[in-house]
Amino acid sequence: MDNSGIAAVFEELAELLEFKGENPFRIRAYKQGARAIRDLDESVADIVADPDRKLSDLPGIGKTLADKTEVLLESGELPQLAKLRAEVPEVMIQISRIPGLGAKKAAMLQKELSIESLDDLRKACEDGSVAKLKGFGKKTSESILEGLSIAEQAAERIYWSAGDDLANSISKHMKGCRGIEKLEWAGSYRRGRETVGDLDLLVVAKDRDAAMDHLETYPEKSQTIGRGETKISIRVGKAFQVDMRCVDAHQFGAALQYFTGSQAHNIHTRRIAKEKGLKINEYGVFKLDDDQQVAGETEQDVYAAIGLPWIPPELREDRLEFKAAEKDSLPELIETSDVRGDLHMHTTATDGQNTIREMADAAIERGLKYIAITDHSQRVSMAMGLTPDRLREQWKAIDEIRPEYEGRLEILKGIECDILEAGGMDLPDDVLAEADWVLASVHYGQRQSREQITERILGAIENEHVDCIAHPTGRLINRRPPYEVDMDAVMKAVAKAKKLMELNANPARLDLNEIHLAAAKKLGIPIVISTDAHNIHGLDVMQYGIKQARRGGLTKADVANTKTFKQFQKLL
Ligand code: DGT
Ligand code: CA
Ligand code: CA
Ligand code: ZN
């Protein structure tokens, strides 16, 4: 079993324990261990085999995890996992993801109504059997129906970040196959969609059978779904599909363009081609009259053949890209290396796991020049939100630390201040006035009416001390719908008040989405891309926010935390 196989076992274990309501610290230990093992640049098996080294010496891996890893390496399985899998059928976990349902209700539904799939549950809601169940009723049944689509999507589509981990792991595996001349990912993954339905791989190989054989030896492969002359589909883990196509070098660009999609984008390119007397498909661009190939080897050639500059994959959704391409005004999209600051992070003062110093050091390691410490305010009692006294204490600590970091990192005294259910901010104005940076966000009363919740957020924008609205819609991808907020009204108010809006880079949030980002750009609202890190590793999610920003067509100039610290201060 290789590193990613071991990591997958611990991830599944964490998920099952979470379902059973186990100790959150234990669950976190498994998750962190999985991450640590996945990120390792040497084989766990080698470390275990080395008598001079101990697995538990690695950061993020405790004694329990080290022991279990040894069992896994020896026997290829974990008795505890088999037991948990038998106790918690997959469908139970899927049901528990419906907003408003927890593990308990999911288990009840599954057992009482012998539900085997989400489709069964839909039927049970529609025929009234859920409403008849003790503790459920008509209203619950209706809200389950509403939430089912989210659970169904979660069962089918994975976060882009998870797709990225898998794609990188498969790329690495495929490097072990000689004779592969080119390898590139296509599909929604290449376009950077928030979620990915399956992965699409394209290769040019001297020996196609050898390339397909090699994919079949990918350690996490659970099944070969189908295999033909040029295409193979495998299943990885429980349900995820990976397609690989082998193409000729002179067709590679055309295939890459075709299989990157989106379908809507391709329909539009075909139309443009036709107008020019050309035909475009996965094999190349051809003249309509005599079928002669005019392009196909590279994507640049393919676009050039139909009179367009190369279009970045993130923009290929048939929204604005063709208009911009025709005018040669495609935006120069932002890149991760453009980022200079991170303006949303938590510490041990509330629900973070690292201290201010640890976060600061990790930020420097990642090349950042400035950060803001933004712990929660008092209303967020579950996270030990800060009272005015505790917040001022934290700011005093920052004052003390600052000299150590002079010339290396600016540390802003910030706060993520809750917008209260009844409206108004969770901390008094005189406290907010002392902050360098104030994020305003909604954590409670998320299911209020459109009017109520919009009113609350507009109120925060009007508060002179608030700088930025954090995760403005509150959605959690595959988990929770956005608030019913009037985003048009919010954005207009933000633009008028000359404030900023966050793009939260957490792969489960990516909030704002790309449509909102494009709208914000149009209104001239500066976007702040933030990690909302709760520990030092959380700082690494910046790349996912950048992907989303690119999908919204944002350039470096549209994003405030690409500025130098001085420029950023001026903006405030
Ligand atoms: P996904 O997998 O649901 O996240 O989304 P995609 O976009 O990766 O879709 P997928 O895997 O079905 O196909 C990959 C690309 O291949 C798609 O974006 C466009 C292209 N493609 C696939 N089937 C068709 C088709 O029937 N017509 C056209 N025009 N393009 C197709
Ligand atoms: Ca796909
Ligand atoms: Ca596919
Ligand atoms: Zn936060």
Side-chain angles (χ1 to χ4, degrees):
M1 194 175 262
D2 71 347
N3 289 6
S4 63
I6 298 168
V9 167
F10 288 135
E11 274 156 11
E12 189 180 350
L13 210 55
E15 188 175 41
L16 290 167
L17 290 172
E18 208 162 17
F19 186 90
K20 298 203 75 181
E22 284 280 348
N23 180 343
F25 289 101
R26 242 180 98 201
I27 294 166
R28 196 189 293 149
Y30 282 120
K31 283 188 184 165
Q32 274 174 356
R35 183 94 227 168
I37 289 171
R38 220 178 254 291
D39 291 347
L40 218 59
D41 51 12
E42 55 183 327
S43 150
V44 167
D46 288 350
I47 299 174
V48 170
D50 186 343
D52 294 335
R53 299 180 66 187
K54 262 169 58 194
L55 202 52
S56 52
D57 288 342
L58 295 178
I61 301 177
K63 177 90 174 64
T64 317
L65 246 84
D67 289 347
K68 288 195 197 302
T69 305
E70 287 186 28
V71 174
L72 263 175
L73 283 170
E74 259 168 45
S75 67
E77 57 197 336
L78 216 55
Q80 184 194 10
L81 181 62
K83 190 168 153 271
L84 276 168
R85 273 185 184 156
E87 283 172 41
V88 186
E90 177 70 14
V91 68
M92 253 197 226
I93 291 186
Q94 292 173 354
I95 295 173
S96 72
R97 287 185 186 142
I98 296 171
L101 288 185
K104 246 192 192 151
K105 283 199 162 156
M108 234 173 106
L109 278 170
Q110 196 266 332
K111 290 209 177 95
E112 296 284 325
L113 304 171
S114 346
I115 286 183
E116 280 173 21
S117 69
L118 289 175
D119 206 40
D120 285 355
L121 179 59
R122 184 181 292 280
K123 284 181 195 133
C125 285
E126 282 165 356
D127 71 18
S129 29
V130 171
K132 271 186 243 147
L133 218 60
K134 212 175 139 201
F136 281 82
K138 197 157 167 250
K139 233 180 127 186
T140 314
S141 169
E142 276 165 12
S143 80
I144 291 175
L145 264 181
E146 272 172 37
L148 254 170
S149 59
I150 285 190
E152 277 162 348
Q153 170 170 319
E156 282 162 16
R157 304 186 65 85
I158 60 174
Y159 290 159
W160 188 89
S161 59
D164 187 47
D165 287 344
L166 181 55
N168 290 332
S169 159
I170 293 175
S171 293
K172 207 167 131 197
H173 171 76
M174 293 307 284
K175 282 218 177 82
C177 176
R178 283 193 296 144
I180 290 188
E181 288 158 359
K182 257 186 196 157
L183 177 149
E184 196 125 18
W185 293 95
S188 54
Y189 168 63
R190 183 163 181 244
R191 301 200 309 281
R193 266 192 70 174
E194 296 162 352
T195 60
V196 176
D198 70 12
L199 281 173
D200 304 280
L201 182 60
L202 286 179
V203 298
V204 176
K206 282 209 184 82
D207 180 346
R208 293 180 169 181
D209 273 320
M212 291 199 247
D213 286 346
H214 197 81
L215 184 64
E216 289 209 61
T217 65
Y218 181 62
E220 282 179 62
K221 187 202 82 167
S222 48
Q223 186 196 346
T224 298
I225 299 165
R227 176 168 170 169
E229 296 267 297
T230 58
K231 183 187 165 186
I232 175 169
S233 294
I234 63 165
R235 201 178 297 290
V236 172
K238 271 178 288 184
F240 199 74
Q241 182 170 334
V242 179
D243 299 333
M244 182 176 84
R245 291 177 177 84
C246 301
V247 301
D248 287 340
H250 73 279
Q251 302 173 334
F252 187 75
L256 184 59
Q257 196 284 327
Y258 181 90
F259 290 110
T260 296
S262 64
Q263 204 150 325
H265 177 90
N266 287 355
I267 289 170
H268 201 138
T269 55
R270 277 204 293 272
R271 199 166 73 224
I272 295 176
K274 213 167 159 196
E275 286 163 8
K276 297 187 185 300
L278 297 165
K279 181 176 82 181
I280 182 170
N281 58 30
E282 68 233 73
Y283 306 110
V285 186
F286 303 88
K287 283 193 189 150
L288 270 178
D289 45 16
D290 62 3
D291 256 352
Q292 201 195 328
Q293 180 169 351
V294 296
E297 191 171 341
T298 72
E299 261 193 344
Q300 274 83 355
D301 298 347
V302 169
Y303 281 105
I306 57 170
L308 295 178
W310 181 80
I311 299 175
E314 293 92 336
L315 298 178
R316 298 184 196 171
E317 301 291 347
D318 195 20
R319 293 203 182 111
L320 299 163
E321 73 270 26
F322 289 101
K323 244 193 206 152
E326 278 156 21
K327 287 190 296 182
D328 211 9
S329 62
L330 283 167
E332 201 170 301
L333 301 179
I334 182 173
E335 292 180 21
T336 308
S337 56
D338 293 331
V339 170
R340 288 198 169 101
D342 189 347
L343 296 158
H344 185 165
M345 66 188 67
H346 298 266
T347 72
T348 45
T350 60
D351 56 353
Q353 287 133 31
N354 288 105
T355 62
I356 300 172
R357 263 205 192 80
E358 286 163 349
M359 295 306 279
D361 291 340
I364 291 172
E365 255 174 56
R366 285 157 181 78
L368 297 177
K369 298 290 181 209
Y370 53 97
I371 60 171
I373 301 296
T374 54
D375 271 309
H376 290 291
S377 60
Q378 53 198 359
R379 175 66 183 91
V380 189
S381 46
M382 255 172 40
M384 295 188 312
L386 299 175
T387 58
D389 283 349
R390 287 182 59 217
L391 181 56
R392 285 182 166 128
E393 225 172 89
Q394 184 181 60
W395 288 344
K396 226 169 87 193
I398 292 177
D399 276 331
E400 280 162 22
I401 290 173
R402 273 177 175 168
E404 283 173 43
Y405 289 91
E406 215 185 306
R408 295 193 294 148
L409 185 77
E410 301 286 347
I411 306 172
L412 293 180
K413 299 175 190 169
I415 178 76
E416 180 178 10
C417 186
D418 252 58
I419 304 170
L420 297 174
E421 291 98 307
M425 301 301 291
D426 186 27
L427 290 169
D429 278 346
D430 66 303
V431 178
L432 295 181
E434 289 170 33
D436 299 323
W437 172 248
V438 177
L439 294 173
S441 61
V442 167
H443 289 108
Y444 295 90
Q446 301 188 12
R447 305 194 60 167
Q448 286 176 351
S449 72
R450 186 176 168 92
E451 260 167 30
Q452 252 178 317
I453 207 144
T454 305
E455 222 27 65
R456 282 167 71 191
I457 296 177
L458 290 178
I461 295 164
E462 273 163 31
N463 183 303
E464 58 171 326
H465 305 297
V466 169
D467 297 297
C468 178
I469 304 295
H471 45 75
T473 78
R475 63 96 176 251
L476 290 180
I477 299 169
N478 284 357
R479 295 280 190 279
R480 189 170 79 198
Y483 333 127
E484 297 267 358
V485 53
D486 179 349
M487 201 39 89
D488 267 357
V490 165
M491 285 204 188
K492 276 188 194 129
V494 170
K496 192 159 161 245
K498 292 207 181 339
K499 303 220 159 154
L500 297 86
M501 282 181 108
E502 179 181 86
L503 159 51
N504 192 296
N506 185 309
R509 287 194 183 270
L510 297 175
D511 182 7
L512 300 168
N513 69 23
E514 79 269 29
I515 309 272
H516 291 139
L517 289 170
K521 177 183 167 116
K522 228 171 151 183
L523 288 167
I525 298 171
I527 296 295
V528 179
I529 308 178
S530 306
T531 63
D532 199 354
H534 284 66
N535 55 47
I536 55 173
H537 302 293
L539 296 170
D540 294 325
V541 304
M542 187 60 84
Q543 52 164 325
Y544 309 128
I546 300 293
K547 256 281 173 265
Q548 180 85 322
R550 290 170 64 88
R551 285 177 62 76
L554 301 195
T555 65
K556 185 177 171 185
D558 299 320
V559 176
N561 53 316
T562 64
K563 295 183 185 302
T564 63
F565 184 63
K566 271 207 179 116
Q567 289 170 333
F568 178 72
Q569 270 183 316
K570 243 190 226 160
L571 182 79
L572 293 187

